[in-house]
């Protein structure tokens, strides 16, 4: 609103630029009826929250390539990325929206090592709700428990 000559005049609202979505990939790594989860480092954003291994899709990568790279960096495994399980958008307060893409990983070479986590654990799907997961993962965990 501006005041011109003592009268209030409404100004048209400026259209907001849509914020780009950050693509984030996550792996549901299964072995012997359990799923691998990792606890974020103390010094990270969302310290000590639990999550599925994965990370941001970098420029020039497709989501599957990004997940292969992230699993090598975080767990020292060579994963074969399976089917896409689901994708949805999530937005943390005061952050750009993220597009979460979950993939199945049922086959990999190497033994997972905790290179980027406080700790990693293998847990059955029905126990995942017992952990303090990142808010963006909670919806996905509810769906896993129903399967």
């Amino acid at each position: 609103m501006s005041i011109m000559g003592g009268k209030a005049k409404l100004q048209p609202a400026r259209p907001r630029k849509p914020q780009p979505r950050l693509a984030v990939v996550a792996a549901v790594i299964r072995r012997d009826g359990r799923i691998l989860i990792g606890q974020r480092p103390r010094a990270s954003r969302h310290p000590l929250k639990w999550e599925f291994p994965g990370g941001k899709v970098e420029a020039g990568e497709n989501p599957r390539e990004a997940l292969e790279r992230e699993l090598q960096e975080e767990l020292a495994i060579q994963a074969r990325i399976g089917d896409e399980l689901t994708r949805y958008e999530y937005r943390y307060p005061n952050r750009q929206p993220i597009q979460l893409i979950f993939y199945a990983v049922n086959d990999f070479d190497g033994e997972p090592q905790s290179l980027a986590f406080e700790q990693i654990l293998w847990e059955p799907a029905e126990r995942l709700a017992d952990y303090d997961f990142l808010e963006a993962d909670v919806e996905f965990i509810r769906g896993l428990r129903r399967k």
Side-chain angles (χ1 to χ4, degrees):
M1 186 184 311
S2 69
I3 302 194
M4 295 180 62
K7 294 184 182 179
K9 181 179 177 184
L10 293 177
Q11 301 217 350
R14 290 186 199 155
R16 292 181 98 190
K17 274 186 166 177
Q19 283 190 302
R21 287 184 305 198
L22 177 67
V24 175
V25 288
V28 179
I29 304 171
R30 294 180 186 268
R31 182 169 73 182
D32 301 326
R34 295 175 184 266
I35 297 171
L36 184 70
I37 58 175
Q39 188 179 37
R40 294 175 68 90
R42 292 175 195 282
S44 70
R45 178 174 273 153
H46 309 288
L48 302 179
K49 292 274 192 174
W50 290 87
E51 67 180 350
F52 296 93
K56 296 174 189 164
V57 177
E58 302 292 342
E61 288 181 317
N62 69 47
R64 289 174 183 277
E65 292 168 340
L67 190 53
E68 287 175 359
R69 176 186 50 75
E70 288 284 351
L71 297 179
Q72 175 63 43
E73 291 172 3
E74 293 181 352
L75 302 170
I77 62 172
Q78 297 294 319
R80 282 165 287 295
I81 310 304
D83 293 336
E84 181 179 315
L85 300 172
T86 192
R87 69 173 59 201
Y88 56 87
E89 187 173 293
Y90 189 84
R91 185 178 191 139
Y92 287 99
N94 304 313
R95 306 272 318 274
Q96 75 184 95
I98 58 174
Q99 176 78 47
L100 274 164
I101 309 168
F102 291 86
Y103 287 96
V105 173
N106 299 314
D107 191 30
F108 56 89
D109 293 325
E111 185 58 32
Q113 301 170 43
S114 181
L115 302 179
F117 297 103
E118 287 288 319
Q119 61 180 316
I120 57 174
L121 296 173
W122 292 95
E123 288 291 347
E126 57 272 9
R127 295 256 350 261
L128 296 182
D130 297 341
Y131 290 86
D132 185 18
F133 266 84
L134 289 169
E135 292 81 3
D137 291 344
V138 171
E139 178 181 330
F140 179 71
I141 291 168
R142 283 189 199 113
L144 267 180
R145 288 185 7 199
R146 284 184 235 125
K147 293 181 180 180

